[in-house]
Amino acid sequence: MKKLVALSPMYTKDSNILKKASIGSSYELSRFNGQWNVPEEFRTAVVAVYGEDIYAEIVAEQCNLTLTKPDDH
């Protein structure tokens, strides 16, 4: 089973680069049809979230993930 990375529904240069980089890897990136609600059947497969802080917090809570963030220096 592939490991899922939940991407924000907002298309950015970074998210497009991540999507292309995932091709052929063990990771699958998904925007879940632009919704902030991860379908129940995918929640245990999500291993990371990439997007705006509020999006990441909402999706991480649904998928029982702990967010980490680099220190702001």
Side-chain angles (χ1 to χ4, degrees):
M1 171 185 258
K2 284 198 173 211
K3 297 170 267 191
L4 295 177
V5 177
L7 286 181
S8 166
M10 303 234 352
Y11 286 82
T12 65
K13 183 178 178 181
D14 289 347
S15 70
N16 290 332
I17 290 169
L18 285 173
K19 186 77 171 167
K20 288 178 186 173
S22 73
I23 296 170
S25 77
S26 63
Y27 295 91
E28 183 176 327
L29 280 64
S30 180
R31 295 183 196 278
F32 297 109
N33 296 320
Q35 299 174 7
W36 286 33
N37 183 35
V38 178
E40 192 73 38
E41 64 269 21
F42 294 110
R43 292 183 180 184
T44 58
V46 173
V47 296
V49 182
Y50 184 83
E52 303 80 15
D53 288 350
I54 188 69
Y55 172 79
E57 290 171 13
I58 291 169
V59 170
E61 184 176 319
Q62 293 174 44
C63 299
N64 199 28
L65 298 174
T66 301
L67 296 177
T68 59
K69 200 173 166 182
D71 292 333
D72 293 327
H73 290 285

